[in-house]
Amino acid sequence: MGITKTQMFTEKQNDLAQFFKVLGHPARVAILQYISNQNACICNDLVEEIGLAQATISQHLKELKTIGLLKGEVEGKSMCYCINIERWNAVQNQLNLFFNTTKSNCC
Amino acid sequence: MGITKTQMFTEKQNDLAQFFKVLGHPARVAILQYISNQNACICNDLVEEIGLAQATISQHLKELKTIGLLKGEVEGKSMCYCINIERWNAVQNQLNLFFNTTKSNCC
DNA sequence: ATATAATATCGTAATATTGCAATATGTAAA
DNA sequence: TTTACATATTGCAATATTACGATATTATAT
C-alpha cells in the first residue's frame, strides 16, 4: 500500500513516531540548531544560511511549528521564529521516557 | 526535486536526522517496545502481534538493525532479535546532547 | 494608494517510503 | 533428501516527502 497504517498503533506510539519523524530531516535539525545559536531571534537568514529555497524553508518551519517546537511572532515585516522551550523540554522528556522504558532482555 | 540534499548539511546533522528518521515510524516504535517487553528474545510473533505482513516486519527490522539498535541471532529456525543496549544508550545520549545544546534565546 | 520586502501557499516534478504477494533462502526435523 | 517452517529479498503499486518556481498574502515605508 505505501500508506502508514496509523490505525493499528496506539496514539502514544503514533505521537512518539511523529516527533521523531519531524526531527528526522537534516534541514530541520539545522534550522533548530541555527535558531538556537543566534542571540536574537532569527527569521529568514535561514534561507541564506542553509541554502534551500525560501519556499522550502518555510515548509520546514511550518512542520516544526505544527508539532509545537517553534513559535513565530510577527516582527515588522518579518517573522521571528524561536524555540518553544516548554514544548522542547516536554518532547525531550517524552523521548527519554521511551528510551528508559525500553530495555534489553536479550540473548 | 524531492531528494533530500544531504550534501548541504554536516555529517553530524545527517546522522542525527537519520536516527530520528528510523525511529519516526509507529511500527518501528511498536517493534522496539514489544521486544523490550518480552522476557525472552522475540522473533516473529511480531507479525501476529503488530498485524503487518511478514515482509513488512522484516523490512522494518532490517532498518532497525542497520542503525544498530537491534541485533539478531539465529535461534533454531527462527531469529532472535534483541535491543543492542550499548548502541541504544549511545543513541539516547546523542539525542539528549542535541536537545541540551539547542536552547531558546527568544522573543 | 503604491511600492517594496518578507513570508506563506499552491502546483508540480522528482524521489522516497510503506506495504504486500510472490519467491528465494536458510534451518531443522523426518 | 525431502518436508516444513521461519525469515529475507524482490518487484511492484499506492502514497508521502522534498524541493522549487510562481504567485498570493501581509506589513511597512514612501
Side-chain angles (χ1 to χ4, degrees):
Chain A
M1 313 274 145
I3 185 170
T4 297
K5 298 183 155 181
T6 53
Q7 77 284 358
M8 50 174 50
F9 304 104
T10 68
E11 199 180 331
K12 281 197 175 183
Q13 287 168 336
N14 284 317
D15 285 354
L16 195 54
Q18 186 60 29
F19 289 131
F20 280 126
K21 192 174 185 179
V22 170
L23 294 170
H25 192 290
R28 293 191 285 269
V29 168
I31 286 171
L32 290 168
Q33 288 178 331
Y34 184 71
I35 290 180
S36 93
N37 283 335
Q38 300 308 112
N39 285 333
C41 269
I42 279 316
C43 320
N44 274 26
D45 317 272
L46 286 167
V47 176
E48 279 183 30
E49 180 64 20
I50 299 199
L52 291 169
Q54 183 267 322
T56 308
I57 295 289
S58 187
Q59 212 172 244
H60 284 305
L61 286 169
K62 188 181 181 184
E63 290 190 69
L64 289 166
K65 220 167 37 172
T66 298
I67 62 163
L69 287 181
L70 287 186
K71 49 185 176 180
E73 285 178 25
V74 178
E75 186 110 347
K77 12 184 178 184
S78 31
M79 285 290 290
C80 168
Y81 275 108
C82 58
I83 291 172
N84 180 343
I85 196 69
E86 292 80 17
R87 183 66 163 164
W88 186 260
N89 290 334
V91 169
Q92 183 177 15
N93 287 339
Q94 279 301 107
L95 303 198
N96 272 312
L97 191 61
F98 167 72
F99 271 95
N100 292 335
T101 55
T102 306
K103 300 180 207 107
S104 184
N105 291 300
C106 197
C107 308
Chain B
M1 312 275 147
I3 186 171
T4 298
K5 298 183 157 182
T6 52
Q7 78 284 358
M8 50 174 48
F9 305 104
T10 67
E11 199 180 332
K12 282 197 177 187
Q13 287 169 335
N14 284 318
D15 284 354
L16 196 53
Q18 185 60 29
F19 289 131
F20 280 126
K21 191 174 187 180
V22 171
L23 294 170
H25 191 290
R28 292 191 286 268
V29 168
I31 286 172
L32 290 168
Q33 289 178 330
Y34 185 70
I35 290 181
S36 92
N37 283 334
Q38 302 307 115
N39 286 332
C41 269
I42 280 314
C43 322
N44 273 28
D45 316 272
L46 286 166
V47 176
E48 279 183 30
E49 180 64 21
I50 298 198
L52 292 168
Q54 183 268 321
T56 308
I57 295 289
S58 186
Q59 212 171 245
H60 284 306
L61 287 169
K62 188 181 180 183
E63 289 189 69
L64 289 166
K65 220 167 39 171
T66 298
I67 62 163
L69 287 181
L70 288 185
K71 50 185 175 182
E73 285 179 24
V74 178
E75 185 111 348
K77 12 183 178 184
S78 30
M79 284 291 289
C80 167
Y81 276 108
C82 59
I83 291 172
N84 181 342
I85 196 68
E86 292 79 18
R87 183 66 163 165
W88 187 260
N89 290 335
V91 170
Q92 182 176 14
N93 287 339
Q94 278 301 107
L95 303 196
N96 272 312
L97 192 62
F98 167 73
F99 272 94
N100 292 335
T101 53
T102 306
K103 299 182 207 107
S104 184
N105 291 302
C106 195
C107 306

